[in-house]
Amino acid sequence: MNAHAGRVKRGRPPKFGRPGKVVAITLPEEVVLGLRKLHPDLAWAIVRLFEKTAKTRKVSRRPSNEAELVAVGGHRSLIVVPRQLFADLDLPGVSILPLHDDRAFLALQPGRGMSDLVLAVDDRLAEASLGRGEATALRRLRAQLREWRGDPSLRCEARAIIVIERGRNRRPT
């Protein structure tokens, strides 16, 4: 008989009923006190707060290869795209500004609007030199832009942003 047959898996079950990751964080004392009011276990308090927020904000479950609207305050959102798919694309009048590891937001040159973004995507799609992955990403973006433009609950407005880029200190070689 196999010594392992019928053996119960040893070890502690997952804390939240799903895989987790150990993280160390530093929080202000008042935040810790507030979280402990939600639950004595800080991890459970954070998970509960996240789940509550995810339900009220309808957190997107889209795969990371899709364009999405990400709320930035109030009723305003930014168009966020997968950074790795768009970083090297040349869209005239459009800047791809990194947010974090795999996401970036689209910023337009002053005086440009949503129709200019759609036109830039269409023009880039018409180029023969476009790779298959890039073309797929652009077609998805174009479809999403058209959906947003046609949604009566959304209003597209161009806003100016200020980007401050730190100079790179050059050391003598």
Side-chain angles (χ1 to χ4, degrees), residues 55-122:
K55 286 178 187 173
T56 59
R57 286 191 173 198
K58 297 179 184 174
V59 172
S60 173
R61 301 285 180 219
R62 288 178 187 245
S64 64
N65 66 346
E66 298 287 332
E68 61 185 325
L69 294 178
V70 174
V72 291
H75 299 285
R76 293 186 173 100
S77 298
L78 295 174
I79 299 173
V80 176
V81 297
R83 183 175 172 186
Q84 71 281 3
L85 291 175
F86 286 82
D88 295 328
L89 284 178
D90 182 29
L91 292 173
V94 181
S95 294
I96 313 293
L97 299 174
L99 285 174
H100 51 78
D101 294 343
D102 63 343
R103 307 301 282 165
F105 76 94
L106 302 182
L108 304 176
Q109 287 179 346
R112 303 226 177 181
M114 181 66 109
S115 57
D116 296 300
L117 176 58
V118 172
L119 185 60
V121 170
D122 284 343

Side-chain angles (χ1 to χ4, degrees), residues 7-163:
R7 186 181 282 183
V8 177
K9 188 176 178 181
R10 296 177 67 183
R12 189 175 190 172
K15 185 169 188 169
F16 306 104
R18 55 192 184 265
K21 184 175 184 175
V22 175
V23 296
I25 59 174
T26 303
L27 300 170
E29 289 180 16
E30 67 272 12
V31 172
V32 172
L33 292 172
L35 287 170
R36 290 213 191 273
K37 289 179 183 176
L38 292 173
H39 195 282
D41 181 335
L42 288 177
W44 273 108
I46 292 169
V47 168
R48 283 186 178 169
L49 191 59
F50 170 79
E51 289 174 345
K52 179 181 175 185
T53 303
K55 286 178 187 173
T56 59
R57 286 191 173 198
K58 297 179 184 174
V59 172
S60 173
R61 301 285 180 219
R62 288 178 187 245
S64 64
N65 66 346
E66 298 287 332
E68 61 185 325
L69 294 178
V70 174
V72 291
H75 299 285
R76 293 186 173 100
S77 298
L78 295 174
I79 299 173
V80 176
V81 297
R83 183 175 172 186
Q84 71 281 3
L85 291 175
F86 286 82
D88 295 328
L89 284 178
D90 182 29
L91 292 173
V94 181
S95 294
I96 313 293
L97 299 174
L99 285 174
H100 51 78
D101 294 343
D102 63 343
R103 307 301 282 165
F105 76 94
L106 302 182
L108 304 176
Q109 287 179 346
R112 303 226 177 181
M114 181 66 109
S115 57
D116 296 300
L117 176 58
V118 172
L119 185 60
V121 170
D122 284 343
D123 287 350
R124 187 69 172 108
L125 276 168
E127 294 179 17
S129 63
L130 200 58
R132 196 166 106 145
E134 296 166 333
T136 299
L138 284 172
R139 278 193 295 276
R140 286 180 175 163
L141 175 60
R142 180 179 59 189
Q144 190 62 69
L145 292 172
R146 287 191 173 145
E147 182 180 320
W148 291 329
R149 288 179 70 195
D151 186 335
S153 69
L154 299 176
R155 185 177 70 220
C156 303
E157 294 180 1
R159 302 278 189 199
I161 63 167
I162 297 173
V163 177

